[in-house]
Amino acid sequence: MDKATKAVAPARSPKTNSLGLEKNEYRGRPSTLCKGCGHDSISQRIINATWELGIDQTQVIKLSGIGCSSKTPTYFLGQSHGFNGVHGRMPSVATGAVIANRTLTAIGVSGDGDSVSIGIGQFKHVMRRNVPMTYIVENNGVYGLTKGQFSATADQGQVLRHAGVNDLAPLDVCLEALATNATFVARSFAEAMPNRSKRYSKPRSTIAASPCWTSSAPVSPSTTDSVDQELCLRQRAPDLLQELNFIPSYEEIEIDEYDDEAKSNCMTARGSSSSWMRTTTRPISWRPIAS
Amino acid sequence: MSVLVKEASPVPGEHELRVNDFNINVATANGSGSQTSNNILIRTLFKMGIPVTGKNLFPSNIQGLPTWYTVRLSKDGYLARREGIEVVVCMNAATVAEDMQNVMPGGIILYDDSLPVAARRKDVTYFPMPVKELVKEADLPFNLRDYVANMVYVGFLAYLLELDCDQVRAALEWNFEGRPKPIALNHDMVLSAYNWAAANVINNQPYRARAMTGFNEDKILVDGNTAAALGALYNGVNLVSWYPITPSSSVAEAVIKYGPQLRRDPDTGKATYAVVQAEDELAAIGMAIGAGWAGARAMTATSGPGISLMSEFVGLAYFTETPTVIWDIQRMGPSTGLPTRTSQGDILSVYYLSHGDTRHIVLFPASPAECFEFAGTAFDLAERLQTPVFVLSDLDLGMNYWISDKFEYPKKEMDRGKVLSVEDLDRWGAKWGRYLDVDNDGIPYRTLPGTPHKLAAYFARGTGHNEYSGYSERPEDWENNLARLTKKFDTARELVPPPIIEEVEGAEIGIISLGSNDAAVQEARDRLSAAGFAASYLRVRALPITQSIRDFLAKYDRIYVVENNFDGQLEKILVNAHPSAAPKMEKVTKCDGLPLSARWITDSILSHLA
């Protein structure tokens, strides 16, 4: 626990990257999400990774749908073009954009409501088409912006203040991706996403657990897919306020950063097995259908 | 094979013949392959120089339900649908009684002699065709028998109407793209039917198709959807994302067919365009918008139900000011409606598609040549105005063959609109704002993703935004943005294709119509004129309404707005744009799944005038 709450600053950061740029230049606008939101940690990890890899921001496009997670592209890579689409349909916009310009690096950010509830169809088809992009699902099992409804990844039997009991079994977003032959699927915890992944160089999807402290906090954690949230909640919201219009501030959870791929491959958010789920071996063959 | 026309009337003299001025109706079962025979028939007539139109009345079904193909020959050059059948070909047992009943007195009936013949009318002439025997004689592979059987009526018609047999052969070669085997197979069947008829049938009926000149020279026979696809390919389309729906599928399919010949990079051999069949219409429009945002010329093609699904995304494209082109090949609505019947029922819904204060540029092509032209116009307007542009065709224009002017190779450079380069950004510096109205025309400047400049990026969002594309909930930002979008729409009035206006000296009535009604309206004007009512005519080619349309509305005392929908949707837009003209405007609408006919338009207007 101590380890999890203690911020450990990486000692390896040089002042500038291979393009001669400071990390600050990879930031976006200030976040408007709740204080301590895991989504901001993911944004920070995207900033870290793209900066460390020396990626030219002008050659990156950021795409998202609707929801808390989909707001985040504003908060990183301020020199990249961004497109905030409609709810659940980010994948089609991304597909069109990378067909139009195949030299661009595409990062899609979505949530569980956006990708698994309303958008499961486009989520599956973008994997099926093997569109060259990094697709991040910031999964917290709950609708944050509309304040506390279940998403399709919420655990069965879960209880929320207004939504009541969730009677339905969740969809596992990683399994959905694997079943559709995604070429790379990984699962991680928001605060634990490795910086140095080469995840922006290949088409792949990353499913990041990012528990919502605000909209799922009142009664019980919203999804185990995201982490052992109960643990986190006990740690962070001992009083479990029953009010939806009061949003307490939290410190961001930090855990140790792992220095290399080998360690991060073993990293776990739930304390059991590997969070990087599997890399499929399907070759990447992206080309226009008509060619 | 022995029973012929027993009580043959005498062979008509030359002056009793009815040449190039009658309708042929071919009644078959869907999926029987009759489309090939009908294509041969219409192409033969076209190549003989005869003004001809074909209307395919087909069911929403793969096999078995009745289908009709009506061919109108008009020596006077009228290409609209005309009521009345003079020559019927009965190949379908399910409808034979009705089909025979519907022939005009004095007409002729060709029928498969194995069909149950319900009645014998005295006022028509019957020609039984020994279809089964002729097919059996031909000794065809079993699986091809039903298909080739339809060539029997082509052979019979060739004999009775005196078609040019060389043109029949040429039409077969065209249809089968030079493949010798199917050409021979089908041609043999046509010949055997022709020869049998020549040996056994006395041609005592008056209908004749005779080669003529003066109309079809320098024209082509083509459907609107193929024209749209070719127009897109000739005007730089990069992405066609689509979802199959009748009657629009053949737009994308024609791109797939002709793209490889027209749009390969000569050096690499690779396609310079992509076609993606999306998982639904939402994804289809989403891809087109993503590609438009990234700088490509992207389009989708759909029909009414697809338009409904695209509604939310279209609002996003409107508000983010992203160019994209949407072809709506209209069919009958509401709801699933009649998927294989024509209508112009999407005018209002497309004009105002999506929630909030939205409105769109809409083009109305009236012919295949205009489909070809507007495919380029739509891209130019979409990129110039940074907005979705709709092209409203319909099933009749899109799927039926029309005699059309040849397509003109685009003369103008493509208009890629206001796009900033790296040099522009160096010059403009931080003064650039994505939604700033620099030129006072409502059209801002955009940058494309991938522009290698640190100031190039902006965030396209459907949420409220200020002139620098930042999220904003400020009331004045919202109002300023909508006011600028309104100004942009006013700019569009000057850029869209102007209406075609044909004014008649001294005319007191004006007709306003649009799209594929053109042929019927033109013919109706001739009829009205003959009845003593000269009518001026304005054909709307685009929304928003231009000043020339307002002037026309102001000028005439009685204005008839002719549309192929129930509510008079164009009329509602005109009333809205020019309320003072409302009392003198009358909607002339019909919505029964069939293209409008000149007679119906004429009678409707005359009944108002009476």
Side-chain angles (χ1 to χ4, degrees), chain A residues 25 56 58-64 66 70-71 73-74 77-87 89-102 104 121-123 125-126 128-129 286 288-291, chain B residues 238-239 260 264 270-271 273-280 282-296 312-313 316 320 322 432 447-454 456-463 471:
Chain A
E25 304 208 41
D56 178 359
T58 67
Q59 303 307 306
V60 174
I61 50 173
K62 311 171 292 184
L63 303 118
S64 63
I66 295 292
S70 291
K71 285 169 163 255
T74 315
L77 304 188
Q79 291 171 28
S80 297
H81 274 78
F83 198 108
N84 188 201
V86 292
H87 201 12
R89 323 290 175 202
M90 173 271 282
S92 62
V93 177
T95 304
V98 299
I99 289 172
N101 186 344
R102 284 190 269 168
L104 298 173
Q122 294 216 345
F123 174 81
H125 283 281
V126 80
R128 171 177 164 254
R129 290 196 179 94
W286 176 256
I289 287 166
S291 68
Chain B
N238 299 117
L239 173 65
R264 280 199 188 283
K270 286 185 174 169
Y273 65 98
V275 181
V276 178
Q277 185 186 318
E279 59 267 31
D280 55 27
L282 288 81
I285 184 68
M287 289 176 200
I289 291 168
W293 171 68
E312 186 189 16
F313 248 135
L316 178 76
T320 57
T322 305
W432 176 63
T447 56
L448 302 181
T451 305
H453 195 288
K454 64 191 291 186
Y458 73 94
F459 206 84
R461 58 174 88 244
T463 44
Y471 178 74

Side-chain angles (χ1 to χ4, degrees), chain B residues 433-500:
Chain B
R434 171 67 181 94
Y435 300 110
L436 270 176
D437 184 10
V438 178
D439 301 330
N440 198 31
D441 57 4
I443 309 170
Y445 285 78
R446 66 177 183 137
T447 56
L448 302 181
T451 305
H453 195 288
K454 64 191 291 186
L455 295 176
Y458 73 94
F459 206 84
R461 58 174 88 244
T463 44
H465 44 265
N466 59 27
E467 291 168 324
Y468 295 87
S469 77
Y471 178 74
S472 173
E473 297 179 0
R474 293 174 68 219
E476 51 272 38
D477 280 343
W478 186 267
E479 283 196 322
N480 288 343
N481 202 18
L482 288 197
R484 184 184 52 78
L485 286 166
T486 304
K487 191 198 285 179
K488 186 166 88 164
F489 206 62
D490 285 334
T491 301
R493 292 177 205 281
E494 309 300 318
L495 300 177
V496 297
I500 303 289

Side-chain angles (χ1 to χ4, degrees), chain B residues 550 553 571-585:
Chain B
R550 292 177 205 271
L553 288 171
E571 190 235 21
K572 284 186 166 56
I573 292 169
L574 294 173
V575 166
N576 208 16
H578 202 86
S580 61
K584 52 186 191 173
M585 257 193 275

Side-chain angles (χ1 to χ4, degrees), chain A residues 155-174:
Chain A
D155 278 350
Q156 195 166 18
Q158 238 184 301
V159 183
L160 287 179
R161 170 77 171 145
H162 288 290
V165 181
N166 179 31
D167 292 327
L168 301 172
L171 290 178
D172 183 314
V173 66
C174 288

